[in-house]
Amino acid sequence: MDKLSLGTLGRHLQDLRQAQGWSLSQLAAAAGIAKSNLCRLEQGNGNPTLDTIWRLAVQLKVPFGTLVAPIAVPLGEDGVEVRLLDQGKDRPQVDAYWMRCAPHTLRLAEPHTPGARESLTLISGTLEAGPEGETRTLSAGETFTFAADRPHLYRTGDTWATLLLSVVYHEESTS
């Protein structure tokens, strides 16, 4: 992520944390990250993983998209790129993402907020996805919807996979 995007994310994260009355120490402990890492992230000097951003969003009880909304560049690591396309303002809240996964990638995703449902529509390639133990293999044009409030995964084979992903958040878990 570029320096401008990191600074924007850091300021937004700090604003969300303070608005909810969390101290730096409280949020770091709840999210399972070092206080020094959270401090660097809020100052725009960190390099957060997707998992770190997810954990922070869950602890702040905001959708992932709310946390990354001010960032225009794709977030990525370990062969996975994610970009927020749009974020609804109605209830329930719906976030839409573009996602691309490199060949031979396994991405283990932490649970979203309680009641969240995820829908994937594969644009190209093949992708195994879904809650651990209940995955489904998709081909281009297929859609799969599942409960995303438990651990789930995305796994590619020999080719890139590109997909549209939407998350519908249960009303009590939105900001």
Side-chain angles (χ1 to χ4, degrees):
M1 191 179 328
D2 62 69
K3 188 74 176 158
L4 178 62
S5 296
L6 281 170
T8 301
L9 176 63
R11 285 187 301 279
H12 188 58
L13 173 59
Q14 184 177 48
D15 290 345
L16 289 170
R17 176 181 60 78
Q18 291 174 340
Q20 293 191 21
W22 287 79
S23 72
L24 203 62
S25 296
Q26 288 171 321
L27 181 56
I33 62 175
K35 179 181 172 183
S36 59
N37 288 345
L38 180 56
C39 184
R40 278 194 300 277
L41 179 55
E42 286 190 358
Q43 294 170 350
N45 296 321
N47 189 18
T49 65
L50 290 173
D51 286 335
T52 296
I53 297 170
W54 280 111
R55 284 197 307 268
L56 290 167
V58 168
Q59 292 307 313
L60 290 168
K61 294 182 175 44
V62 298
F64 178 81
T66 296
L67 189 51
V68 301
I71 303 170
V73 298
L75 300 168
E77 67 183 12
D78 300 329
V80 177
E81 292 181 328
V82 178
R83 180 180 324 167
L84 178 68
L85 297 174
D86 201 1
Q87 185 174 47
K89 303 301 180 213
D90 297 324
R91 295 284 187 251
Q93 183 168 329
V94 180
D95 290 354
Y97 301 90
W98 167 89
M99 184 168 155
R100 190 169 100 159
C101 303
H104 307 289
T105 296
L106 172 61
R107 166 108 177 103
L108 300 174
E110 294 195 24
H112 297 272
T113 52
R117 299 210 32 96
E118 190 167 308
S119 293
L120 313 174
T121 299
L122 197 63
I123 297 170
S124 63
T126 58
L127 179 74
E128 177 188 359
E132 294 176 10
E134 299 176 26
T135 61
R136 189 168 138 199
T137 301
L138 303 173
S139 298
E142 293 184 321
T143 299
F144 180 39
T145 301
F146 57 90
D149 57 0
R150 52 192 220 206
H152 48 286
L153 64 86
Y154 312 91
R155 182 187 338 238
T156 58
D158 295 333
T159 61
W160 283 87
T162 304
L163 56 143
L164 295 175
L165 182 153
S166 64
V167 181
V168 178
Y169 291 93
H170 187 269
E171 289 190 25
E172 294 178 6
S173 65
T174 58
S175 60

